[in-house]
Amino acid sequence: MAGYKLATYQSADGPRAGLVVGEHVFDAASLTRKPAYATVLGILNDWKSAQGAIKKAAASAGKSRVKSRPLARTKLLAPVLWPSAIYCAGANYADHVAEMNRANNRPDEPDPHTLGLQSWHFIKASRSLASPGATIKISDYSKMMDWEIELAAVIGRTAKHVSIEKALGYVAGYTCANDLSARDRGRRPHVPDTSPFKADWVAHKSFDGSCPLGPWIVPASDIKDPQNLALKLWVNGAIKQDSNTSRMIFTLAEQIAHLSSRLTLHPGDLILTGTPAGVGMGRKEFLKAGDVVKIWIEGIGEISNKMV
């Protein structure tokens, strides 16, 4: 049976859901004959039934009369337009926590599990997503723009009070994300360091283009273990992050369980699972106009974005 990846592509009529089969892109609604599948959110909102319909359509794509587009000449957009929420795990790789503590002259911290703590998340604005290949305007916004490669999980079923054991069953698939961070915008000027109002998470993490995402969604059934995926990030061809999702402090299952204990997760919601060591802050090296950032995750693919 032919495999597929779920994408959003730019058509003459605007963004459309596409099925990437081999080196071709098929319109999802046309190939499945289901008008509701014109968008990725439309597919995810019907994920229980959509999985079978899409697999069947992908398997017969080569014999279909539906015209395809060459993948190499198709503009792919961020695969989910637009999720109701983007949850980002903070401080979720021990080596990254250590490098940030060193950069900020803070002492080492124990494993949060030993303190009875749960995973910790902040939220990016849905419209902060950027497409594969998009340029990200940074020069007039931040002088300390940082990179952070992250595995992103895409929710496929409404989730509330989900157990750790069943949590991964609520994931439709996986994609690659870059949690761009404006390190010099995270603390408000002219506010005392001791003030509880010092932090500015919107300016730090949720500016336009702060979440490059893509190139597509790989179905969860095609990823044997999300806790054992290599992930790498390059800036101008030089590798900066080289790690594995096995090094997370809180697993994706733990994150889904904890998030769903406090609110309802909806189809299309994204969970960015944290970044490993190798960010710019740890070496006092930041992005500038003209830099190209490429991210790659095993079994999923890669995307590149240019800073301007």
Side-chain angles (χ1 to χ4, degrees):
M1 180 176 290
Y4 73 92
K5 303 173 186 74
L6 184 58
T8 296
Y9 71 95
Q10 182 66 52
S11 77
D13 299 320
R16 299 274 300 183
L19 301 182
V20 180
V21 182
E23 295 301 313
H24 299 274
V25 180
F26 294 85
D27 185 80
S30 299
L31 195 63
T32 60
R33 298 181 182 178
K34 292 183 179 291
Y37 293 178
T39 67
V40 168
L41 275 182
I43 292 171
L44 294 172
N45 278 315
D46 189 39
W47 188 241
K48 185 176 180 180
S49 299
Q51 294 178 76
I54 290 174
K55 285 182 179 179
K56 183 178 179 181
S60 59
K63 302 176 182 178
S64 173
R65 294 182 179 179
V66 175
K67 188 177 180 180
S68 67
R69 300 163 176 257
L71 175 60
R73 297 204 298 269
T74 301
K75 180 177 176 57
L76 297 184
L77 307 176
V80 185
L81 299 175
W82 300 94
S84 66
I86 304 172
Y87 303 99
C88 305
N92 199 41
Y93 283 73
D95 56 1
H96 175 55
V97 174
E99 73 175 348
M100 293 299 284
N101 283 338
R102 287 193 300 270
N104 291 285
N105 297 313
R106 294 191 297 253
D108 291 337
E109 300 176 27
D111 183 334
H113 287 99
T114 65
L115 303 177
L117 298 175
Q118 301 279 0
S119 56
W120 174 82
H121 295 80
F122 58 90
I123 295 176
K124 277 184 179 279
S126 172
R127 297 281 174 160
S128 69
L129 291 178
S131 298
T135 55
I136 313 296
K137 191 175 182 181
I138 67 168
S139 61
D140 64 346
Y141 187 77
S142 170
K143 303 303 181 186
M144 296 174 66
M145 186 64 69
D146 209 343
W147 57 83
E148 296 188 14
I149 186 173
E150 309 209 9
L151 172 69
V154 185
I155 296 298
R157 296 168 54 198
T158 301
K160 181 68 173 175
H161 294 304
V162 172
S163 69
I164 293 175
E165 293 74 22
K166 295 182 179 180
L168 295 184
Y170 289 79
V171 177
Y174 301 94
T175 189
C176 307
N178 186 358
D179 173 24
L180 289 173
S181 304
R183 302 294 186 194
D184 53 348
R185 300 294 295 268
R187 295 172 67 78
R188 298 167 67 206
H190 315 304
V191 177
D193 287 347
T194 55
S195 171
F197 307 109
K198 183 67 175 178
D200 187 344
W201 284 94
V202 172
H204 184 189
K205 293 283 193 175
S206 205
F207 49 91
D208 287 348
S210 64
C211 192
L213 192 79
W216 42 54
I217 299 167
V218 173
S221 57
D222 289 353
I223 300 294
K224 184 177 180 180
D225 182 4
Q227 298 304 147
N228 187 24
L229 298 174
L231 65 174
K232 299 182 181 183
L233 179 146
W234 298 261
V235 178
N236 300 329
I239 194 159
K240 302 296 183 180
Q241 291 180 279
D242 185 356
S243 191
N244 191 285
T245 58
S246 62
R247 298 177 184 174
M248 287 184 199
I249 297 172
F250 293 100
T251 65
L252 172 59
E254 289 177 302
Q255 293 182 48
I256 292 172
H258 182 51
L259 283 168
S260 73
S261 73
R262 295 179 291 169
L263 46 77
T264 302
L265 298 173
H266 298 278
D269 284 357
L270 301 175
I271 300 176
L272 275 59
T273 54
T275 199
V279 301
M281 188 66 181
R283 61 189 88 194
K284 298 297 188 290
E285 176 185 332
F286 301 102
L287 296 170
K288 60 186 181 302
D291 286 347
V292 176
V293 181
K294 182 173 77 172
I295 62 176
W296 168 87
I297 299 181
E298 179 182 4
I300 299 174
E302 67 180 48
I303 63 171
S304 295
N305 295 91
K306 185 176 182 178
M307 307 297 123
V308 297

